[in-house]
Amino acid sequence: MATRSRGGRSNGHSKSVLAVLLLLIVALFGGVAASTAFADPKGQWSPKLGLDLEGGRQITLEPVVAEGAQQVNSGQVERAVDIIRKRVDGTGVAEAEVTTLGERNIVVSVPGEPSKEMLSSLARSSALSFRAVISQTTNEPVPRSLPQPPSVPKPTAKPSAGSSSTATPKVSSSPTSGANGVYPQAFSQATPTPTPTPSSPASPATSTPAASTKPANPSDTKWASQPVSANWVKAGVVEQGDTYQDLLQVYDCSDSDTRLAASTSPANQPVVMCDQTGQAKFLLGPVEVKGDTISDATSGPATNQQGQQTGGTQINLKFNGKGKKAFGDMTRRLAGFQQDSPQNKSAIIVDGQVLEALGTNDAITNGEAQITGSFTPSSGKQLADELKFGALPFSFKELTNDQISPQLGQDQLHKGLIAGAIGMVLVIIYSLFQYRALGLVTVASLLVSAVITYGAVTLLGTLNNFRLTMAGVTGLIVAIGMTADSFIVYFERVRDEVRSGRPLKAAVESGWQRARRTIIISDVVNFLASAVLYILSESNVKAFAFTLGLTTLIDILIVMMFTHPLLTLLARTKFFGGGHKWSGFDPERLGAKGVTYAGRGRVTIADRRAAEGGQV
Amino acid sequence: MASFAQFGNDLYTGRRQINFIGRRRLWYAISAVLLVVAATGVFGRGLNFGLEFTGGAELKVRGVQNTQDYDTRAEDTVRKATGTDDNLIITKIGDSDIRVQTEKLGSGTAADNDKVATALAQEFGVSPRNVDSQFIGPSWGDTVTKKSIQSLIWFLALLSVVLAIYFRTWKMSLAAIIAVLHDLFFTVGIYALAGFEISPATMIGFLTILGYSIYDTVVIFDKVRENTHEAFATGQRNYDQAANYAVNQTVVRSINTTVIGLLPIAAVLVVGFTMLGAGTLLDLSLSLFIGIAVGAYSSIFIATPLLTDLRRGEPSIKELARRAKAYQVSQRSALTEANTPKAGPGESASGVVEPERAAAAAAARATRTKKRETHPLARLDRDDK
């Protein structure tokens, strides 16, 4: 009588647990549905795929620190990630991912086929600096006919090696738009002051042939007649012994190799660079103000001296002590040049490019500068961010660069899924073979766990941008065996109990009591393994660890909320409870008859346990 | 099938026992030989690290229609594109895939990689999208290796604490960890000997083996704990026997879980090998396959025997052995008295007497005890108990 009432309760309990699980599944897919309807960006009904399955390019960047310079810290890497993310976003690539790898490396994953420009922009130096403009000209590289094929490492990379038609100058008729800003001190100059220069390099440098004398200051035109630094010769742009004036002539704004050479030029030497549009090129003096001396950069509405808004957007710069002095020295000198002359300007340089060339109205010695010009609020903010975030003391080099074709990924996924399906079928066949009808419980549990896993992976794709990679798919396939493992631990325990002579109903419960701790501790161990892997490892290892951890959690959920209640309910059916031949619980086949007859020892233990702990 | 179930039943009830613990020196010797072989592999032959660790470039052209003279064509293409064809390894995978590997492509930059990729696509008449290119700087592998070793150490440290707390004895934890290290080293040794390439996916596999091996060991140790607890309570068998009984009782489960764990991996392995060629799927499944098989072996043959060896010196274990011996001696005399059939082969291994014989012995003792009530030595016998 007592047994029956308890049985009834546990029966109802099992049903309500199953109902709760059903609710959970409904909620999970409700979440997926909601994410497809409301989430931003919109969710989808299938898991997000990783780069290796979707196709695309993955690049690992490592910061390059000059010898003797300070070590890279994590804050700097985070800022670098921001900059690179901005660069990638700026190229209009959706869904690109920029993440850190370890303490210092950065991984950029771009789906599809990103352009070459975009790729080369990633690894570019982020270091920002100020240089004084010595002269400015439009981009019309003069094809140089060198007397003989130069003995440089990369002759093919030399733009001027071909005929003159290859080095097509960019729109040379339009006035340069490089100079669109100014440091207002006494008054605000609202309009940009483009400096149209004749297409011939009419820089004062040509008229001062006094090459032997040393330049007096960074704006000195004598720099033009100095011999170029070694990196230009190495890059194959000019020959040994050429001057910066020569370099200015042949420099081609459209050549990325040349630009790379510009970004790696020594700081104490002049340099030739183009503006962002590639239409104006500049001869610039040595670095005067380093970007890392900028303590803050913000953008906001431009104001005049009286603090009234003038309608434009201005950028506010703050320098630290070192920067304050350097910037003050530079602007004091530049303000001495005639307004609108190139030498009145200072150039803000990022990645071998002139970001802005700014006229200087007055010496700025208080360490706070305002830049006004034709900025829109968004372009102003972008420049401010570049100024603020661009101040990284290192650039990057490529560690890895993988191009993954989408066909390959699809192929891999397809075949991985086939393998998974085959694996699932094999597991099902084996469990039916070993556990007869009980194997069906395994099948049902595996199916439920597959459904939950699919929902969880899909939902996480939307919420956490979790992407399924090949390693992740493998993790899921491997998890089939692991999930089935816990059923086996349970079933074997139940069988043990049946062997000890217990009726099935009791065996299911007492077997569960003992199997539960084993399943929990093994899953805890497994989860621990995946958690450690997830925290400490990188990229595709992380994906694998994540799926493994996820399936471990789902495994516990399934065993607790599906397999056990289901088995409890089934144990009450005539087929299972009666120990039908095909039920997997046939006491005769499990040798229980023999044991009850002769193995009194075992039965005694079971009985004693029952008396002690009331586990039956 | 029926015989397998019967086998399981017999192992469970004790009608048949395999002497896992008693023959532990044999298993140790086997493992020692295997580990020496593995060590010669690892330190002699060395590991075959993949491109990810050594740095270099790999290009894969997929879906090539005409693969005639593929090697010279690929070589020419690379030379034309970069000016050099040093150290090229060109292989054909399957019917239509061509792989070009080299330590350094051209000047060893990613840009050269792209150049060659485009040239190869043209030469073999496929879309550039069908060319997979991979460029890896030499310091990449260092990062991965360092991270893996770091996670390994952390995992083992955390694991030993968790297990020591769960089992309430650090010796179980230690035995499990040694077994895991055994698996790991052995698997790596197989890799070295077979010359399988080690990729980051393989490293993932190695690390996952840890979890699997531990899982198996934990299940067995759980049963060991249960049985030894019972042994301490009844004093009927010593620690070794209780542990051996536990292994015997879980061996069917071990076989089933190992088979079920291996089945999906085998499927992945076969599909990966026949249809995909080298890649994450194959690398991962291969290391897992080897590792899980080795893990099942070590849980049974290494972890549990080690545990008994570790605990042998403990006073409580010695005391238990003494009690069990006394019990078994008296039981044996009871068995002789009952004139039961000859003992089974595993009887002394696990201290489990065949059910029929145990019943007969109990009956015999019941009658004997009655007689003894009048026997002059009866008092002595009782004192012994």
Side-chain angles (χ1 to χ4, degrees):
Chain A
M1 195 62 208
T3 325
R4 191 181 297 162
S5 78
R6 199 172 64 177
R9 219 175 26 242
S10 117
N11 214 345
H13 180 67
S14 302
K15 278 180 184 155
S16 58
V17 169
L18 285 174
V20 169
L21 182 71
L22 189 67
L23 272 180
L24 274 178
I25 296 175
V26 169
L28 183 65
F29 282 90
V32 174
S35 80
T36 58
F38 308 115
D40 181 44
K42 268 197 174 5
Q44 49 188 41
W45 279 102
S46 57
K48 271 196 183 175
L49 294 183
L51 203 68
D52 56 344
L53 297 179
E54 208 181 37
R57 194 178 279 263
Q58 188 158 11
I59 299 155
T60 312
L61 300 172
E62 185 186 39
V64 184
V65 187
E67 257 176 72
Q70 84 245 48
Q71 276 299 302
V72 175
N73 65 42
S74 59
Q76 288 170 322
V77 173
E78 285 303 321
R79 275 162 64 193
V81 168
D82 277 348
I83 295 171
I84 291 171
R85 191 171 286 144
K86 216 148 45 78
R87 286 179 183 170
V88 179
D89 289 349
T91 56
V93 178
E95 307 257 314
E97 259 183 90
V98 185
T99 50
T100 54
L101 172 65
E103 282 146 22
R104 36 184 296 158
N105 295 347
I106 292 173
V107 178
V108 185
S109 308
V110 189
E113 285 177 74
S115 68
K116 250 199 182 94
E117 291 72 37
M118 193 216 130
L119 291 174
S120 66
S121 80
L122 294 178
R124 249 158 42 194
S125 152
S126 323
L128 180 137
S129 59
F130 288 78
R131 289 175 187 254
V133 176
I134 297 171
S135 68
Q136 180 178 1
T137 172
T138 50
N139 177 32
E140 276 177 49
V142 179
R144 272 167 63 90
S145 45
L146 297 170
Q148 62 191 48
S151 56
V152 288
K154 286 194 296 174
T156 49
K158 197 169 169 354
S160 51
S163 70
S164 60
S165 62
T166 56
T168 35
K170 300 264 179 205
V171 213
S172 56
S173 55
S174 70
T176 62
S177 58
N180 59 351
V182 71
Y183 302 111
Q185 193 69 353
F187 60 93
S188 134
Q189 196 167 341
T191 50
T193 52
T195 330
T197 31
S199 56
S200 67
S203 130
T206 42
S207 53
T208 43
S212 56
T213 48
K214 282 220 138 201
N217 62 50
S219 294
D220 198 326
T221 50
K222 282 185 194 128
W223 283 112
S225 48
Q226 296 288 316
V228 293
S229 58
N231 63 308
W232 295 103
V233 182
K234 222 195 252 168
V237 184
V238 286
E239 282 191 314
Q240 183 74 45
D242 281 354
T243 63
Y244 281 103
Q245 184 57 44
D246 299 328
L247 179 63
L248 182 63
Q249 281 188 27
V250 298
Y251 193 96
D252 183 0
C253 289
S254 57
D255 189 344
S256 59
D257 284 349
T258 314
R259 181 166 153 196
L260 193 71
S263 68
T264 54
S265 279
N268 60 358
Q269 285 286 317
V271 76
V272 174
M273 280 182 196
C274 296
D275 68 353
Q276 281 176 300
T277 58
Q279 289 177 3
K281 50 185 177 181
F282 301 87
L283 175 62
L284 306 166
V287 172
E288 285 188 79
V289 184
K290 281 191 187 157
D292 58 4
T293 62
I294 296 176
S295 55
D296 197 16
T298 54
S299 70
T303 53
N304 60 19
Q305 289 264 292
Q306 283 73 44
Q308 274 164 350
Q309 294 195 3
T310 56
T313 298
Q314 74 176 19
I315 292 155
N316 309 303
L317 287 182
K318 261 199 191 107
F319 291 94
N320 65 17
K322 208 167 138 195
K324 184 172 156 183
K325 184 179 178 305
F327 194 71
D329 291 348
M330 181 178 78
T331 47
R332 189 177 301 120
R333 191 184 69 244
L334 297 187
F337 289 98
Q338 193 196 336
Q339 295 275 325
D340 292 358
S341 80
Q343 278 175 297
N344 176 245
K345 290 178 183 176
S346 62
I348 303 173
I349 291 156
V350 172
D351 304 338
Q353 248 189 355
V354 174
L355 205 61
E356 294 285 345
L358 304 158
T360 313
N361 296 339
D362 220 335
I364 298 167
T365 51
N366 62 355
E368 288 184 27
Q370 283 83 41
I371 307 170
T372 57
S374 57
F375 299 118
T376 63
S378 67
S379 74
K381 185 178 183 314
Q382 196 185 337
L383 179 59
D385 284 347
E386 298 244 17
L387 290 170
K388 188 158 70 180
F389 296 127
L392 285 180
F394 50 79
S395 54
F396 293 92
K397 76 169 185 216
E398 279 182 19
L399 265 189
T400 69
N401 187 329
D402 301 346
Q403 168 72 49
I404 303 119
S405 73
Q407 277 86 351
L408 177 69
Q410 290 301 323
D411 197 35
Q412 286 241 1
L413 180 63
H414 189 66
K415 282 167 185 162
L417 291 180
I418 292 177
I422 295 175
M424 193 98 158
V425 169
L426 286 176
V427 166
I428 289 169
I429 292 174
Y430 186 81
S431 19
L432 287 178
F433 186 62
Q434 274 292 339
Y435 297 99
R436 308 274 162 114
L438 201 54
L440 291 176
V441 178
T442 310
V443 175
S445 306
L446 282 177
L447 288 180
V448 174
S449 107
V451 167
I452 292 182
T453 309
Y454 185 87
V457 168
T458 307
L459 192 61
L460 282 168
T462 309
L463 298 182
N464 256 1
N465 202 25
F466 171 71
R467 283 162 183 279
L468 208 50
T469 61
M470 200 60 227
V473 172
T474 317
L476 290 179
I477 297 171
V478 168
I480 298 173
M482 206 178 67
T483 309
D485 227 35
S486 37
F487 306 149
I488 294 172
V489 171
Y490 181 25
F491 295 162
E492 285 294 338
R493 276 299 201 175
V494 174
R495 285 178 142 193
D496 287 353
E497 299 296 314
V498 173
R499 282 177 182 133
S500 304
R502 283 215 175 83
L504 186 65
K505 274 184 215 173
V508 164
E509 279 317 305
S510 60
W512 172 244
Q513 299 294 337
R514 304 218 216 148
R516 187 172 55 189
R517 10 177 301 144
T518 308
I519 291 170
I520 288 177
I521 184 65
S522 342
D523 274 342
V524 163
V525 165
N526 244 327
F527 189 77
L528 188 73
S530 43
V532 170
L533 270 182
Y534 182 78
I535 293 166
L536 288 175
S537 63
E538 299 305 341
S539 55
N540 60 353
V541 184
K542 248 191 169 70
F544 178 81
F546 188 88
T547 44
L548 210 60
L550 184 71
T551 48
T552 306
L553 291 180
I554 291 174
D555 178 35
I556 291 192
L557 190 80
I558 296 290
V559 173
M560 296 268 179
M561 297 188 72
F562 185 78
T563 315
H564 172 55
L566 185 67
L567 207 57
T568 312
L569 289 179
L570 286 177
R572 285 161 214 289
T573 63
K574 195 160 169 271
F575 180 76
F576 283 97
H580 189 275
K581 241 187 156 143
W582 292 98
S583 68
F585 285 127
D586 177 11
E588 202 152 348
R589 222 170 63 84
L590 292 174
K593 293 270 153 66
V595 173
T596 19
Y597 159 66
R600 251 193 70 211
R602 302 301 312 165
V603 180
T604 313
I605 292 163
D607 291 345
R608 183 170 48 75
R609 281 259 167 71
E612 277 171 6
Q615 278 183 338
V616 176
Chain B
M1 172 57 202
S3 66
F4 187 70
Q6 189 55 48
F7 176 65
N9 294 341
D10 289 351
L11 290 178
Y12 183 78
T13 55
R15 187 172 283 126
R16 190 188 313 188
Q17 293 287 289
I18 302 166
N19 196 357
F20 292 108
I21 305 290
R23 280 187 226 129
R24 62 184 180 280
R25 281 178 227 290
L26 177 64
W27 318 134
Y28 290 164
I30 291 172
S31 269
V33 170
L34 292 178
L35 287 179
V36 168
V37 172
T40 53
V42 173
F43 299 111
R45 246 190 96 137
L47 291 166
N48 176 16
F49 281 105
L51 204 67
E52 289 85 352
F53 296 97
T54 54
E58 180 180 301
L59 295 139
K60 234 186 259 173
V61 190
R62 306 178 59 79
V64 177
Q65 300 283 329
N66 176 14
T67 55
Q68 220 173 359
D69 299 329
Y70 68 92
D71 43 353
T72 47
R73 278 164 72 196
E75 215 166 290
D76 288 348
T77 313
V78 174
R79 188 173 47 233
K80 251 181 254 166
T82 64
T84 165
D85 58 357
D86 290 346
N87 305 319
L88 285 185
I89 304 166
I90 297 162
T91 38
K92 198 165 93 171
I93 306 170
D95 288 334
S96 57
D97 293 357
I98 289 161
R99 185 177 65 178
V100 178
Q101 285 174 304
T102 174
E103 277 173 32
K104 199 174 160 218
L105 205 54
S107 54
T109 59
D112 270 13
N113 237 34
D114 289 348
K115 217 180 288 172
V116 174
T118 320
L120 281 174
Q122 213 163 24
E123 172 65 35
F124 288 100
V126 299
S127 142
R129 286 161 67 85
N130 275 12
V131 180
D132 236 24
S133 90
Q134 215 178 11
F135 163 79
I136 292 137
S139 57
W140 165 245
D142 288 347
T143 321
V144 175
T145 315
K146 214 184 283 167
K147 281 275 167 188
S148 302
I149 292 172
Q150 225 178 346
S151 10
L152 176 67
I153 292 169
W154 269 103
F155 173 67
L156 290 179
L158 276 173
L159 184 74
S160 46
V161 172
V162 168
L163 289 185
I165 291 171
Y166 177 74
F167 288 117
R168 295 195 190 82
T169 161
W170 60 268
K171 287 181 178 169
M172 274 193 165
S173 172
L174 181 65
I177 301 264
I178 293 176
V180 163
L181 289 176
H182 163 274
D183 297 345
L184 195 62
F185 190 75
F186 191 39
T187 310
V188 174
I190 291 179
Y191 262 75
L193 285 173
F196 295 137
E197 196 175 278
I198 294 184
S199 71
T202 316
M203 300 283 262
I204 306 175
F206 288 163
L207 293 171
T208 317
I209 292 168
L210 305 176
Y212 257 92
S213 171
I214 284 288
Y215 188 104
D216 221 32
T217 310
V218 164
V219 172
I220 295 178
F221 276 12
D222 222 34
K223 187 74 184 170
V224 169
R225 183 161 87 149
E226 192 181 306
N227 279 8
T228 51
H229 184 76
E230 185 190 306
F232 275 114
T234 62
Q236 289 186 354
R237 51 183 79 101
N238 64 31
Y239 195 86
D240 284 11
Q241 289 170 326
N244 198 51
Y245 193 26
V247 178
N248 275 290
Q249 285 181 314
T250 45
V251 85
V252 168
R253 183 220 62 96
S254 287
I255 293 170
N256 280 344
T257 54
T258 307
V259 169
I260 284 200
L262 287 180
L263 281 177
I265 296 169
V268 173
L269 205 56
V270 170
V271 168
F273 190 72
T274 54
M275 291 158 85
L276 279 174
T280 310
L281 207 61
L282 198 59
D283 291 350
L284 198 53
S285 51
L286 182 65
S287 60
L288 281 178
F289 192 89
I290 298 172
I292 291 177
V294 177
Y297 160 80
S298 80
S299 304
I300 294 173
F301 294 95
I302 302 298
T304 319
L306 262 182
L307 175 67
T308 62
D309 274 339
L310 282 171
R311 296 204 65 174
R312 200 174 309 284
E314 285 178 34
S316 64
I317 303 295
K318 282 184 180 157
E319 163 67 18
L320 176 64
R322 199 189 57 72
R323 275 169 66 205
K325 194 170 182 191
Y327 170 81
Q328 282 165 9
V329 165
S330 85
Q331 195 190 32
R332 200 163 299 136
S333 71
L335 285 169
T336 328
E337 211 168 300
N339 197 20
T340 52
K342 252 194 149 226
E347 192 170 285
S348 64
S350 297
V352 187
V353 176
E354 234 177 74
E356 286 87 354
R357 297 179 63 232
R365 177 159 325 154
T367 53
R368 193 181 67 149
T369 321
K370 246 179 227 157
K371 265 187 236 161
R372 268 184 195 166
E373 271 171 348
T374 56
H375 196 278
L377 290 178
R379 188 174 293 274
L380 227 169
D381 208 345
R382 199 174 291 151
D383 281 351
D384 220 2
K385 190 123 177 131

